[in-house]
Amino acid sequence: MTATAPRRDYSLDGEESVRAVERGLADGDWFHATIDPQRLRELSIRTNRRAAVDTALWFGLAIGLGVLAWSVRWTWWAVPAFLVYGAVVGGSSDARWHECGHGTAFKTGWLNDLVYYPTSFMIAREATLWRWSHFRHHTDTIVVGRDPEIIFPRPPSLGQAVLAFSNVKGGPTLMAGTARHAFGRLDPTTRILVPESDHRRVVWEARVYVAIWATAVVWALASWSIHPVLLIGGPTIYGAWLMVFFGITQHAGLKEDVLDHRHSTRTVHMNPVFRFLYLNMNYHVEHHMFPAVPYHRLPELHAEIADQLPAPLPSTAAAYREIFHAIRQQHDDPSWELDRRVPDVPGMPGPIVQAFDWPSDGRVRLPVQLEPGEVKAIEVAGRAVLLARDALGTLHAVDRICTHGDADLAEGLVIGCEIECPKHNGRFDLVTGAGTRRPIRESLDVHSITELDGGEVEVQINSRSSVSGAST
Ligand code: FES
């Protein structure tokens, strides 16, 4: 590294954080590839069956390997057995944590949570804290001072990479942070990311984690054996290399501070075994652009928009060659950037909006033909309104702009009687407007709507009303 190489401040409360806001990089307006909205809705549909099969296979693998490792624990076979078990539990649990955190693995919300919480524990990520961390990662991907999930701050070094792979620093650091949270001591980063209404939840989740780790340690001491710790808690450290192995391919070495995932994120073709362990997150540009699409439809999404993206890396090895080259260059010159060929195409146009002047009686009449699951965007004297027909066929009218981060719900997905935001998978009840899934904390205004004869509807625009939080 040159003696004068500038070191940027990656903390969330430092000078780079202020600069990111000043430069318009915080909660910015991101490029999205163009795709037919109907096709995108089709690709975003979830089923329980596919995720149930994949999850059962994965848990079966983890439990089977655990039983195997335990049964040979006093032999040398225990070494490879625990290494493989650790990689599955402490490494590939990351992909399950991630997909279920987005709520896109299963169609049924509680099934996502059922997998999300244990997999959060397996990688020592406090469930609520890391949910909020990941919302921020999607809002401000690889924006310095805003994104808490940047693995390689510049200038990167080989030592950093080795530490990341072994997790001998990251794992204990996470565990120590959890222990502090268990005593109610929340650090500044946690306070920035997590709204106050969730602080108690963070503390109690930390206590549960610490209690489980403590049980494993007591068991190990009582049996005078390290095996209980290798089984519970230990994989977070000695098995995390697999999580890092995949995770590094997502953004390492690519551009910082750019509102276009094609420059900051990497798509890599991987073999079927890797794709199973990693739940197709190798299609990472696609995932960041359209996080509503579940993991098993990402290859199809890739095929739809590939001509608007940089060429994917042909293999994991090719991705690592690119990453090591970038790390070497950025070690000497932190401002060095990979020169990717990004197609010069216009981004996805916003939804078609039918505009109206403010009617004297607050009622708007218009012809509407919507099938279940379809939406229509209107604007009444500047007020953005969404008309949506739910899965049961009932028509609803609610405000159109997400109360969390200004995303347009006309680009969202109707699921049952809810609308899911396209940006962070937050959800609103279409009947009441209430938030039903984090990160939503403020409800949408609801407008009354009446279906008239002849395919017309009448919408009565309401004044502002209630506020409510997400229930999950
Ligand atoms: S913008 Fe974050 S959930 Fe809508």
Side-chain angles (χ1 to χ4, degrees):
M1 189 177 71
T2 57
T4 54
R7 185 177 288 272
R8 301 186 71 184
D9 179 359
Y10 286 77
S11 68
L12 302 188
D13 53 358
E15 59 191 37
E16 289 289 355
S17 172
V18 177
R19 257 168 55 82
V21 174
E22 288 169 356
R23 293 168 66 200
L25 293 169
D27 206 359
D29 195 8
W30 287 76
F31 173 90
H32 289 89
T34 302
I35 179 169
D36 172 37
Q38 182 52 36
R39 176 67 174 143
L40 182 59
R41 265 197 287 278
E42 201 180 296
L43 290 173
S44 302
I45 292 170
R46 297 115 209 211
T47 64
N48 285 336
R49 182 187 295 224
R50 174 62 192 260
V53 170
D54 284 343
T55 306
L57 275 175
W58 183 78
F59 268 113
L61 184 67
I63 293 168
L65 285 167
V67 170
L68 177 70
W70 188 259
S71 63
V72 297
R73 66 190 181 282
W74 298 113
T75 73
W76 282 107
W77 288 110
V79 176
F82 271 109
L83 282 177
V84 179
Y85 163 78
V88 170
V89 169
S92 66
S93 49
D94 172 59
R96 280 77 199 162
W97 163 83
H98 175 263
E99 189 73 19
C100 292
H102 277 281
T104 43
F106 294 91
K107 180 180 177 187
T108 306
W110 65 265
L111 286 174
N112 286 306
D113 285 343
L114 194 67
V115 177
Y116 179 75
Y117 285 100
T119 50
S120 298
F121 173 77
M122 288 176 190
I123 44 176
R125 286 184 182 155
E126 294 167 67
T128 297
L129 165 59
W130 277 81
R131 226 191 253 279
W132 285 103
S133 166
H134 204 64
F135 292 142
R136 177 66 82 85
H137 172 62
H138 269 263
T139 304
D140 299 321
T141 311
I142 316 301
V143 172
V144 177
R146 296 285 303 177
D147 185 351
E149 297 182 11
I150 297 178
I151 297 182
F152 280 131
R154 295 186 197 174
S157 70
L158 206 58
Q160 234 175 20
V162 171
L163 274 180
F165 268 97
S166 65
N167 216 23
V168 288
K169 187 172 172 219
T173 302
L174 272 181
M175 290 170 148
T178 306
R180 279 195 298 276
H181 294 168
F183 285 103
R185 289 167 47 203
L186 301 188
D187 52 278
T189 301
T190 300
R191 288 183 185 279
I192 289 170
L193 293 173
V194 182
E196 205 171 336
S197 54
D198 269 347
H199 284 184
R200 273 186 68 77
R201 199 179 171 113
V202 169
V203 170
W204 275 103
E205 283 170 2
R207 287 173 182 168
V208 171
Y209 282 29
V210 170
I212 298 173
W213 291 330
T215 303
V217 171
V218 169
W219 180 13
L221 290 173
S223 59
W224 205 239
S225 147
I226 195 174
H227 302 117
V229 175
L230 291 179
L231 206 61
I232 302 165
T236 297
I237 298 170
Y238 76 84
W241 65 268
L242 188 60
M243 172 179 69
V244 179
F245 175 73
F246 290 134
I248 274 180
T249 65
Q250 296 174 358
H251 308 283
L254 297 177
K255 278 192 179 157
E256 296 172 333
D257 297 347
V258 56
L259 301 181
D260 187 339
H261 297 109
R262 300 176 302 169
H263 290 285
S264 62
T265 307
R266 191 180 276 110
T267 284
V268 183
H269 284 309
M270 289 187 179
N271 65 56
V273 174
F274 282 7
R275 282 176 45 199
F276 167 72
L277 292 170
Y278 191 29
L279 283 188
N280 278 343
M281 275 305 121
N282 51 306
Y283 295 104
H284 215 64
V285 180
E286 295 82 350
H287 164 69
H288 266 276
M289 273 190 196
F290 300 108
V293 176
Y295 69 98
H296 55 89
R297 305 299 299 269
L298 287 175
E300 293 165 82
L301 174 62
H302 171 74
E304 291 282 343
I305 62 174
D307 59 341
Q308 301 168 65
L309 310 183
L313 277 296
S315 66
T316 314
Y320 267 87
R321 277 196 294 276
E322 181 178 272
I323 291 163
F324 281 125
H325 175 63
I327 285 178
R328 269 202 304 273
Q329 301 296 324
Q330 289 168 357
H331 174 72
D332 293 333
D333 174 7
S335 63
W336 187 89
E337 302 278 12
L338 264 170
D339 191 18
R340 307 182 99 190
R341 291 189 56 193
V342 173
D344 185 14
V345 290
M348 179 125 145
I352 297 167
V353 180
Q354 192 173 353
F356 298 87
D357 291 330
W358 183 258
S360 55
D361 59 356
R363 294 164 200 252
V364 179
R365 250 181 199 225
L366 68 155
V368 167
Q369 285 192 331
L370 294 177
E371 294 297 318
E374 289 185 344
V375 299
K376 179 178 176 64
I378 66 170
E379 201 168 287
V380 183
R383 178 109 182 233
V385 174
L386 179 81
L387 309 185
R389 195 178 290 284
D390 69 25
L392 300 175
T394 307
L395 199 56
H396 305 270
V398 294
D399 271 0
R400 213 177 77 222
I401 303 304
C402 179
T403 56
H404 173 243
D406 290 344
D408 195 329
L409 296 172
E411 294 167 352
L413 182 69
V414 175
I415 299 176
C417 294
E418 297 178 333
I419 180 85
E420 183 178 280
C421 176
K423 198 165 176 181
H424 302 109
N425 310 98
R427 288 193 198 171
F428 297 93
D429 186 315
L430 283 166
V431 178
T432 64
T436 57
R437 188 169 194 282
R438 283 181 178 76
I440 308 301
R441 295 160 63 217
E442 197 176 320
S443 64
L444 291 172
D445 273 358
V446 178
H447 310 279
S448 61
I449 184 167
T450 311
E451 294 203 58
L452 308 172
D453 291 338
E456 278 201 322
V457 299
E458 185 177 86
V459 186
Q460 169 82 57
I461 305 299
N462 280 345
S463 55
R464 304 248 162 235
S465 57
S466 61
V467 168
S468 67
S471 61
T472 59

